[in-house]
């Protein structure tokens, strides 16, 4: 089976788990909460590439206070659908020192990725560390995160999902909703 066939089959066997309207409403709610917390704090919003890209792109224009944006690039899955080694492609910068940092990522799954970003921000001297994620997977395998604030759009079942920044083999990040695979 070639790539295109596999990807077409994947979409054909997927259900919409969270639709566009629901994501949109959740983004507005999340932006309200963040605006209350970060107004006047001049946070540095640190986007975790690539998964955090679409979430941050949708959330940032709704935040109506002074902030700056930076990114880091950490990858866990590579092109696989099972968790793997963490690899820093672009680590966070020293511009974090003394700042209120708000980490923006797609998902809190087991938390290895976010824990590594939090640890780097602490080493670099962040004043406070907040994490905002689009989704959190419901299961018992989470490792604790040493952050001051945690914000989450949705809780999702412990299944592979994709769309709205989340990928399958690097594809489908551009979908405007979140899909889950149908049960066989
Ligand atoms: P963690 O380190 O176990 O929390 O895994 C987090 C990273 O794995 C995320 O930033 C995603 O890139 C990826 N990931 C975890 N679950 C999924 C999923 O269901 N679909 C797509 N990517 C996922
Ligand atoms: Mg990621």
């Amino acid at each position: 089976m070639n790539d295109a066939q596999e990807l077409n089959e994947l979409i054909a066997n997927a259900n919409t788990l969270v639709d566009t309207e629901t994501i949109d409403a959740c983004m507005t709610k999340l932006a309200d909460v963040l605006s209350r917390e970060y107004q006047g704090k001049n946070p540095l919003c640190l986007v975790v590439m690539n998964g955090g890209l679409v979430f941050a792109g949708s959330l940032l224009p709704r935040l109506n206070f002074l902030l700056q944006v930076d990114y880091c690039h950490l990858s866990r899955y590579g092109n696989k659908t099972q968790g793997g080694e963490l690899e820093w492609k672009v680590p966070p910068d020293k511009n974090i020192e003394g700042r209120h940092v708000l980490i923006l990522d797609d998902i809190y799954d087991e938390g290895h990725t976010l824990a590594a970003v939090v640890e780097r921000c602490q080493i670099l001297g962040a004043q406070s560390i907040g994490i905002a994620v689009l989704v959190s997977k419901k299961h018992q395998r989470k490792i604790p995160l040493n952050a001051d604030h945690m914000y989450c759009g949705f809780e999702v079942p412990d299944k592979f999902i994709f769309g709205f920044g989340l990928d399958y083999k690097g594809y489908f990040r551009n979908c405007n909703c979140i899909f889950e695979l149908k049960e066989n």
Side-chain angles (χ1 to χ4, degrees), residues 28-97:
T28 304
K29 233 167 89 186
L30 200 52
D32 282 352
V33 174
L34 292 171
S35 297
R36 279 197 294 277
E37 180 61 40
Y38 285 96
Q39 187 76 247
K41 288 190 176 165
N42 186 21
L44 182 70
C45 296
L46 185 68
V47 185
V48 185
M49 300 295 263
N50 287 322
L53 174 67
V54 178
F55 173 56
S58 171
L59 182 69
L60 286 167
R62 299 169 203 246
L63 301 179
N64 58 351
F65 51 87
L66 280 180
L67 58 83
Q68 289 178 314
V69 180
D70 203 352
Y71 77 97
C72 61
H73 192 176
L74 181 59
S75 146
R76 174 145 193 249
Y77 274 23
N79 265 350
K80 301 184 287 292
T81 51
Q82 297 274 304
E85 289 294 300
L86 282 173
E87 183 195 357
W88 279 111
K89 295 187 171 158
V90 181
D93 212 70
K94 61 179 184 313
N95 62 357
I96 277 172
E97 190 176 354

Side-chain angles (χ1 to χ4, degrees), residues 106-108 133-137 152-156 161 166 178:
D106 51 359
I107 186 166
Y108 178 16
V133 290
L134 178 65
V135 295
S136 173
K137 268 193 199 173
C152 172
F154 304 98
E155 281 209 311
V156 293
I161 58 172
L166 290 144
I178 300 173

